[in-house]
Amino acid sequence: MGLFKRGSVWWMSFTYQGKQIKKSTQTDDKQLAKRIFDKVRGEVAERKWFERLPGEDRTFAEMMERYMTEHSARNKAPRSHVRDKSLRDHLVGQFGEMTLAEITPSQISGYKTKRRGEGASPRTLNYELSLMSHAYNLAIKEWEWVRENPVKKVSKEKVNNLIERWLTLEEEQKLLASSPRWLKEIIIFAINTGLRQSEILALKWPRVDLFRKTITILEEQKNQGRDTLPLSEGALAVLKERARARRGETELVFSTGNATRIGSRNLARAFYSALKKSGIETLRFHDLRHTFATRLVQAGVDLYTVQKLGRWKSISMVTRYAHHYPESLRAGVEVLDRVGKKISTNLAQRSKSEVTASL
């Protein structure tokens, strides 16, 4: 056991459970370093000392910085990385200066209460907690900074996934009449394809086959999957119009007058301006995707087909639309009618045969 110097800082060396331990006292004051060392030596003798992982003294802000650099930026789609930055900012604002060992489930629960008071939705809160939890998991398994993940002991918010909004035909007419031509084309295309906003704005001509009436969508995820989808006449008409108006060398299907990509903020600004002008309330651009699915179900299209056309990951994500077409269940109960009629017919024939035999 002993004290030694590294640069201007005093370090201590001692044996714990047969293992040589070297730790910084984090001070250049020899007297203070000696008092720290004496305290540690006493704890070791009384078996009250335990080895702290190096990350337990690191701040939450340091963990999130490493997470964003080593994981989010490298492994996530650009759009997801941007969202992570926003979620990270809220978390760091609350926990940034705290060490990882100081953060408790109770404090995280208090953060949830605070964010709810600020108007954060349950879904947003769950996104924030998921990001925090994932960073802690990496800090445990890969970086060996801490031993426990306090987020795992905090319950997630309950999200009502059954609430959706879609455009009626009357509302669609009002919205289109209130939209500039370029926005009108995008709205019609969204309703007829169910594509997400980012997919529409990123769509390029090499992925369009007007002869086969299909488009190919490249997934943003790491597996780089692709889906080739058939086009309705409404969507095809928009693409043919865009092809006639195509400018310059841009490969983008939907572009600005300068043949550059339309910014999502500019699209949102124009969309909400058209909503205000048309008098339509509580509608998001993403609700055009709900409109696509709802109209298919209302027309009697089965949920499996809707799932494939909209590229939802599972059938359970589409069942929210099932209530829009209760008539689709009628075929099921009509089977009982056919079975009942068959039984009645058989009974009648049997009775007739018995009467004939008795004669």
Side-chain angles (χ1 to χ4, degrees), residues 3 29-39 41:
L3 285 172
D29 185 326
K30 186 176 182 178
Q31 294 302 317
L32 177 59
K34 187 176 184 305
R35 290 197 296 271
I36 293 172
F37 179 46
D38 289 341
K39 179 181 178 182
R41 187 165 52 181

Side-chain angles (χ1 to χ4, degrees), residues 272-283:
Y272 287 111
S273 175
L275 286 177
K276 184 176 181 180
K277 184 178 178 181
S278 64
I280 298 174
E281 299 179 350
T282 63
L283 186 80

Side-chain angles (χ1 to χ4, degrees), residues 76-230:
K76 294 189 178 183
R79 184 178 61 174
S80 297
H81 179 57
V82 171
R83 185 185 68 183
D84 282 354
K85 287 181 179 179
S86 176
L87 301 174
R88 183 270 317 269
D89 290 345
H90 285 291
L91 292 166
V92 170
Q94 178 74 16
F95 303 108
E97 299 303 316
M98 299 177 66
T99 64
L100 299 180
E102 291 174 336
I103 299 174
T104 65
S106 176
Q107 291 168 328
I108 298 172
S109 180
Y111 170 76
K112 286 173 53 180
T113 301
K114 176 186 174 184
R115 290 288 287 131
R116 282 196 295 265
E118 294 171 347
S121 69
R123 188 183 300 277
T124 297
L125 265 174
N126 286 344
Y127 281 144
E128 292 176 2
L129 294 184
S130 294
L131 183 72
M132 186 179 187
S133 183
H134 193 195
Y136 260 104
N137 286 339
L138 290 179
I140 293 170
K141 297 176 182 178
E142 298 187 14
W143 309 335
E144 296 183 343
W145 280 9
V146 288
R147 293 182 176 85
E148 295 185 352
N149 180 353
V151 187
K152 286 188 175 181
K153 298 180 180 180
V154 180
S155 62
K156 294 290 185 68
E157 297 290 283
K158 186 176 181 180
V159 178
N160 185 357
N161 287 320
L162 296 179
I163 299 176
E164 78 272 347
R165 172 79 159 86
W166 70 95
L167 274 178
T168 65
L169 294 176
E170 181 182 359
E171 287 177 326
E172 180 184 351
Q173 293 175 355
K174 290 181 179 179
L175 181 58
L176 294 179
S178 303
S179 302
R181 182 173 179 176
W182 67 270
L183 178 60
K184 178 179 178 180
E185 291 176 335
I186 290 177
I187 292 173
I188 293 174
F189 193 74
I191 292 174
N192 279 272
T193 61
L195 294 187
R196 301 171 180 86
Q197 176 182 299
S198 59
E199 294 168 337
I200 295 174
L201 298 183
L203 184 62
K204 295 182 179 181
W205 285 113
R207 304 298 175 190
V208 176
D209 190 330
L210 294 177
F211 178 75
R212 294 177 58 208
K213 300 181 181 180
T214 63
I215 56 173
T216 300
I217 302 299
L218 298 180
E219 295 289 344
E220 288 186 349
Q221 307 304 320
K222 288 184 289 184
N223 60 12
Q224 290 296 303
R226 62 175 60 199
D227 292 300
T228 299
L229 305 171

Side-chain angles (χ1 to χ4, degrees), residues 44-101:
V44 170
E46 297 174 6
R47 297 185 178 183
K48 294 181 179 180
W49 186 86
F50 63 93
E51 184 180 5
R52 293 173 62 86
L53 291 176
E56 291 182 343
D57 292 324
R58 292 183 179 270
T59 65
F60 180 81
E62 289 178 293
M63 178 180 73
M64 294 311 301
E65 181 63 28
R66 183 169 182 179
Y67 176 86
M68 296 300 295
T69 302
E70 297 186 10
H71 181 79
S72 183
R74 293 181 180 180
N75 301 324
K76 294 189 178 183
R79 184 178 61 174
S80 297
H81 179 57
V82 171
R83 185 185 68 183
D84 282 354
K85 287 181 179 179
S86 176
L87 301 174
R88 183 270 317 269
D89 290 345
H90 285 291
L91 292 166
V92 170
Q94 178 74 16
F95 303 108
E97 299 303 316
M98 299 177 66
T99 64
L100 299 180

Side-chain angles (χ1 to χ4, degrees), residues 181-182 185 203-206 239-262:
R181 182 173 179 176
W182 67 270
E185 291 176 335
L203 184 62
K204 295 182 179 181
W205 285 113
L239 291 178
K240 289 180 177 179
E241 182 61 31
R242 292 305 305 156
R244 285 192 290 269
R246 187 175 178 181
R247 293 185 178 182
E249 300 299 323
T250 183
E251 291 188 336
L252 292 168
V253 173
F254 299 96
S255 60
T256 67
N258 296 323
T260 58
R261 177 165 174 162
I262 298 172

